Amino acid sequence: MIVYILCFVLFLVGIYGAITKRDLIKIILSISILGYSVNLLFILFAYRSESIYPILSKGKEILPMVDPLPQALVLTSIVIELGTTAMLVALAVRLFEKYKTFDITQIRRLKG
Amino acid sequence: MHKHEGMTLIVKTVTRISVWMILLYGTYIVFHGHLSPGGGFAGGVIIALALLNVLLAYGRNFVTEWLSIKFLHGLESLAASFFVIIGILGMVYVGYFLGNYLSKGELFNLLSAGTILPLNIVIGIKVGTSLFIVIWFLSELKIDKGE
Amino acid sequence: MPVEIWITYILILMIIASIAALEIEDVLSSIVAIGVVGLGVSLCFLFLQAPDLAIVQFLFEIFALIILVKAFLGKEYHKTESTKLNIILTIVTIITLTSILIFSVSVFDLLPDFGKPYMNTAQYYLDNGARETGAANLVSSVILDYRAYDTLGEITVLFTSILGALSILRIRSQMKKENSESQNA
């Protein structure tokens, strides 16, 4: 139970950063923290005690294994996260070129 | 001009030897995706990191002589379309999209598991090239700033 | 030591590192702190019997660190001094999020205990996966055989996001080139 709550605390730290920070770099970092915590919570739900990884090996008896389905889903989610991070970094760099600042309030003021 | 680009001679010499080992390891991870942990995603990132190692150690101009970015773009698009082609062939042979129509083979053999091995290879090429292209364009930035 | 205690320690470390990443002023230090969080996630995956995910998370973390360092390091930008409104916003946010945490603790009682999941669909994959697909790695058989359609969608998302990043960066470099040409002329 305590691990679920700690994972939720990590999620709330990410939300805190995304709401209060005005620096674009900090916002990108907090979005990646959100991603980490969600992925970890998914795998925490799937864990079954006293069982091994879901990979068969030669000449070994079949033991109880953990659930392979959440692992497959999280594997795709991690890759997509990297794509979004690259996209956000490119956008931030482009905004820096135009406005010479990472502060989102400044960027809003200079619009139009 | 090339001599002054990139890092020192020690780094370049070590890179010249180690890059091939890293590439070999990435290929191993891709090809054994259906037997051991790893697979197309992990192996593709290792291949991209090996190319990035060359880019950081030798500089952009050296890499431009050996690799054309247009070629990488073509490889990426080709890999993405091969994924769909394998899927449509499954429709022809088995009756549904991405069906496993090749022979299953024997468990624990390298050539087994039907379409999983070709799909792993295709994903490895796709992920490796696309991530390297992003790093390529981001590294252009640094040169721009120096001017 | 049981798995749960290890994971508790790693999660506490990760929470401290993420707060540090958000509050440190220096850009390089905060990027390194986010690296601690990502590698902690990788370690947790290893304890939770997911070696596939641990490898992928480790490699992608390294890649994300290189992207962030290459893009953001060395940019001199002016620190924003915090206004009164910003401080009030921060306090209100902390109070709200803390109350959300306190009220949601009782929800976690309804979840299954750690280490005892409800598992119905996946038992089929464990029993028949090796026979039906011929792959020893059952995660691989799920992502590329049973649920290959997911992987196709995921490749499309990766392709699109990388294409978006490239189009943004390429417009910029073309503009730079035109500017320098017009200055030379």
Side-chain angles (χ1 to χ4, degrees), chain A residues 41-52:
Chain A
L41 195 64
F42 220 139
I43 296 298
L44 282 175
F45 283 143
Y47 180 70
R48 187 160 61 168
S49 44
E50 319 257 318
S51 41
I52 59 161

Side-chain angles (χ1 to χ4, degrees), chain C residues 115-178:
Chain C
K116 295 187 189 68
Y118 304 138
M119 200 161 83
N120 297 317
T121 337
Q123 194 59 47
Y124 178 80
Y125 296 143
L126 290 180
D127 293 339
N128 303 318
R131 190 171 47 79
E132 284 184 358
T133 65
N137 186 349
L138 294 172
V139 178
S140 177
S141 81
V142 172
I143 58 170
L144 290 175
D145 195 305
Y146 290 114
R147 286 175 169 262
Y149 219 73
D150 276 10
T151 311
L152 179 64
E154 183 260 321
I155 280 191
T156 316
V157 172
L158 184 69
F159 195 70
T160 317
S161 64
I162 299 273
L163 220 63
L166 282 196
S167 61
I168 290 165
L169 290 172
R170 192 175 280 165
I171 290 167
R172 201 185 49 79
S173 65
Q174 266 175 5
M175 271 169 46
K176 266 266 157 66
K177 224 171 266 173
E178 278 165 16

Side-chain angles (χ1 to χ4, degrees), chain A residues 23 25-26 29 102, chain C residues 20-21 23-34 65 68-77 79:
Chain A
D23 193 344
I25 299 174
K26 295 287 160 68
L29 295 188
F102 280 125
Chain C
E23 294 301 333
I24 292 175
E25 295 276 302
D26 186 32
V27 179
L28 182 61
S29 308
S30 62
I31 291 174
V32 169
I34 209 77
L65 282 192
L68 287 170
V69 167
K70 247 192 155 8
F72 292 139
L73 210 60
K75 291 252 193 307
E76 74 281 339
Y77 68 100
K79 276 276 161 281

